[in-house]
Amino acid sequence: MADTFVVIGGDAAGMSAASKAKREDPDLDVIVFEKGEWVSYGACGMPYYVKGDIDELEDLVAITPDEFREERDIDLRTHSEVVNIDREARTVTVENEEGTYEQKYDDLLVATGARAIRPPIDGMDLDGVFTFHSMDSARAVRDAVAGVADDEREGYGSEVGEYLDGEKPESVAIVGGGYIGLEMAEAFDARGLDVSVFEMLPHVLAPFGESIAEEVEDHLREQGVSLHLDTMVERIAGEGGEDGEDGRVAAIETGDERHPVDSVLVATGVAPNAELAVEAGIETGETGAIATDELGRTSAEEVFAAGDCAEAHNVVTDAPDYVPLALTANRAGRAIGSTVAGDPTEVGGIVGTAVVKVFDLEVARTGVIDSDEAQQAGFDPVSQVITAGSRAHYYPGGTPITIEMVADRETGRLLGAAMVGEEGVAKRIDTIATALHAEMTVEEVQNLDLAYAPPFSPVWDPVLTAAKVLSGKLE
């Protein structure tokens, strides 16, 4: 009898693992349980669907459920939620529309993803208040800003509340100045809404560092986005009821100030869906995500975890980290699929590389930039900020790129970098990420043989210039 590999969760990590395991061992029974209807979709594209750059939500789907079933011979069961893991019996309990049943497994992957954080703010359940993480929420938000009437909207799933009865909003408040919040600011602006961003920290994009954040903030203001920094949202007020706690959203309240608004997007981050694993006695790490080893194994025998519910190993800090991004999930899932099929494969480390488009800017980061974080990891950080042109000074069309680069004073080891500019940033950050994986010093980065041609770079690429100036600071 063939072994059975059960996967809980049908997005990046889960379907990558299922596909790789079945491809490597065609005799393996691979069963995937997904509580919703969507599988293998590009969540990172959802802001551009709301903006209108992507016409149909289905365009974000890489491989359809039928293709997994018919072409890859994977037993994919949608609308099927795993509600319990029995480690001793090696079974999972599944609920679907027809009832409850148990499924045995030999190997199990927990790939339950993450969920949008719902902060403890009064008014979260008002009409016109949204979170943004699932495909259903993307459709709900796009329909809301487009003024789609109630009787024309499709079902959105239980996590999406009521919206605006077909009345198109004129303004939106975004609570949270992270990746999603700023991507959605651009999307809402393109839809003709007045956009305000409320961020409790002193700057947007806090993990990118102050120098980079300030340039992003200036650009947001130039685009007409109203910024409320270092500002705590205390309440989302409605227009109904004596206390304004019913009906449709009417305002954001921050201390003594009231900001009228007719829709709200709460984008305060995500939390790992680790509860199912915890209930089964599987250990989580300090981040709150499921703890895993180099093969993606958890503390429970024959149980793996990957994707946005699991920790990863940070190459720079040499410690567990939680960075819920797409490549991390896909790569870990693929590795676990190989391991389950008989070829033990490490899931690989991360350096926290990320890039975000904010209107006309490319903004990127990788490694450790924050000095406190670097010190906690045992480093003595030294940083340098430089600005250089994206092209040769005489070639038309070039724009400035600002880079903050950080290194360890004692060893000269490169620790991280962040950068912002209108062109060339999104790929330059990959050079830094590669150097971090190789544990290079800034002097070694300075001596890299990078490509040069006037339309693409000065002779001294901005990355090389940043490394050269920082190296001199360490001497």
Side-chain angles (χ1 to χ4, degrees):
M1 183 176 179
D3 285 348
T4 300
F5 178 34
V6 168
V7 177
I8 307 173
D11 198 16
M15 298 317 300
S16 292
S19 297
K20 182 64 173 177
K22 190 67 178 181
R23 185 161 55 249
E24 295 297 313
D25 184 0
D27 293 329
L28 185 67
D29 288 333
V30 179
I31 304 172
V32 179
F33 295 106
E34 167 54 47
K35 70 177 183 178
E37 66 172 303
W38 299 96
V39 300
S40 190
Y41 59 88
C44 297
M46 295 191 309
Y48 307 105
Y49 164 74
V50 174
K51 182 182 177 183
D53 291 342
I54 309 298
D55 291 332
E56 302 293 336
L57 192 59
E58 289 76 11
D59 292 340
L60 299 180
V61 176
I63 303 170
T64 68
D66 285 343
E67 288 172 331
F68 279 115
R69 296 176 185 124
E70 297 169 7
E71 299 178 11
R72 303 196 178 191
D73 195 24
I74 293 171
D75 185 356
L76 170 59
R77 306 179 193 180
T78 54
H79 301 288
S80 299
E81 182 176 6
V82 174
V83 296
N84 183 64
I85 299 170
D86 187 333
R87 292 164 46 196
E88 184 174 350
R90 287 199 179 182
T91 63
V92 295
T93 303
V94 185
E95 289 184 356
N96 60 20
E97 296 175 352
E98 299 178 356
T100 302
Y101 66 96
E102 291 186 348
Q103 171 64 53
K104 291 189 69 66
Y105 67 82
D106 295 288
D107 291 291
L108 176 68
L109 170 60
V110 180
T112 44
R115 63 187 179 279
I117 292 173
R118 289 176 58 87
I121 302 173
D122 289 341
M124 284 291 296
D125 294 325
L126 290 168
D127 295 350
V129 177
F130 301 92
T131 57
F132 193 81
H133 190 66
S134 68
M135 293 279 272
D136 288 335
S137 66
R139 176 168 281 160
V141 171
R142 175 157 152 167
D143 283 356
V145 299
V148 176
D150 275 355
D151 58 359
E152 297 177 359
R153 68 186 177 106
E154 299 185 39
Y156 299 134
S158 60
E159 82 282 7
V160 179
E162 295 297 324
Y163 68 130
L164 302 177
D165 299 326
E167 183 178 348
K168 183 177 179 180
E170 296 181 357
S171 60
V172 60
I174 300 172
V175 182
Y179 306 144
I180 294 299
L182 298 193
E183 288 175 338
M184 291 301 292
E186 179 181 345
F188 288 135
D189 178 79
R191 290 286 184 170
L193 277 68
D194 291 330
V195 181
S196 300
V197 174
F198 294 80
E199 171 55 56
M200 64 182 292
L201 298 176
H203 295 285
V204 300
L205 295 178
F208 290 69
E210 182 177 339
S211 299
I212 304 303
E214 287 178 344
E215 291 202 25
V216 174
E217 290 157 6
D218 288 343
H219 185 66
L220 286 166
R221 294 185 183 101
E222 290 171 0
Q223 302 301 315
V225 175
S226 176
L227 295 181
H228 303 268
L229 304 176
D230 210 4
T231 301
M232 177 74 74
V233 173
E234 297 184 358
R235 182 169 176 259
I236 304 173
E239 60 185 16
E242 294 183 2
D243 297 324
E245 296 180 352
D246 300 317
R248 176 174 170 170
V249 60
I252 290 284
E253 295 183 357
T254 59
D256 296 332
E257 296 187 359
R258 180 180 173 92
H259 308 269
V261 67
D262 53 19
S263 60
V264 174
L265 178 73
V266 179
T268 52
V270 300
N273 291 325
E275 293 81 3
L276 183 66
V278 171
E279 291 170 1
I282 295 171
E283 295 178 2
T284 57
E286 292 184 3
T287 68
I290 302 170
T292 60
D293 68 5
E294 69 278 3
L295 295 177
R297 296 175 299 198
T298 71
S299 60
E301 185 180 5
E302 309 303 337
V303 178
F304 300 80
D308 292 358
C309 65
E311 291 183 334
H313 181 77
N314 190 304
V315 172
V316 179
T317 64
D318 193 29
D321 202 354
Y322 181 61
V323 184
L325 294 174
L327 178 59
T328 304
N330 278 278
R331 186 177 58 188
R334 178 181 171 86
I336 289 168
S338 292
T339 297
V340 168
D343 179 19
T345 303
E346 294 188 2
V347 298
I350 64 168
V351 292
T353 309
V355 63
V356 58
K357 180 180 181 294
V358 182
F359 288 89
D360 299 326
L361 294 181
E362 300 174 11
V363 194
R365 70 168 309 282
T366 189
V368 177
I369 301 159
D370 181 75
S371 60
D372 290 339
E373 182 183 357
Q375 289 170 4
Q376 290 172 6
F379 299 111
D380 181 7
V382 179
S383 67
Q384 178 67 50
V385 179
I386 66 101
T387 299
S390 62
R391 308 180 186 184
H393 70 88
Y394 52 81
Y395 194 89
T399 56
I401 293 177
T402 297
I403 300 178
E404 179 175 8
M405 188 173 286
V406 183
D408 177 47
R409 185 184 304 275
E410 181 179 351
T411 64
R413 179 183 172 184
L414 179 66
L415 300 181
M419 58 184 76
V420 59
E422 293 186 15
E423 68 169 9
V425 166
K427 298 312 295 180
R428 280 183 169 96
I429 199 67
D430 290 341
T431 301
I432 306 297
T434 302
L436 292 175
H437 278 281
E439 300 186 11
M440 296 175 67
T441 65
V442 287
E443 184 176 0
E444 289 172 331
V445 173
Q446 168 190 329
N447 292 325
L448 288 174
D449 183 19
L450 302 185
Y452 157 66
F456 307 113
S457 170
V459 173
W460 281 90
D461 186 88
V463 168
L464 301 180
T465 298
K468 178 174 60 173
V469 176
L470 180 56
S471 181
K473 194 173 183 178
L474 292 172
E475 293 176 355

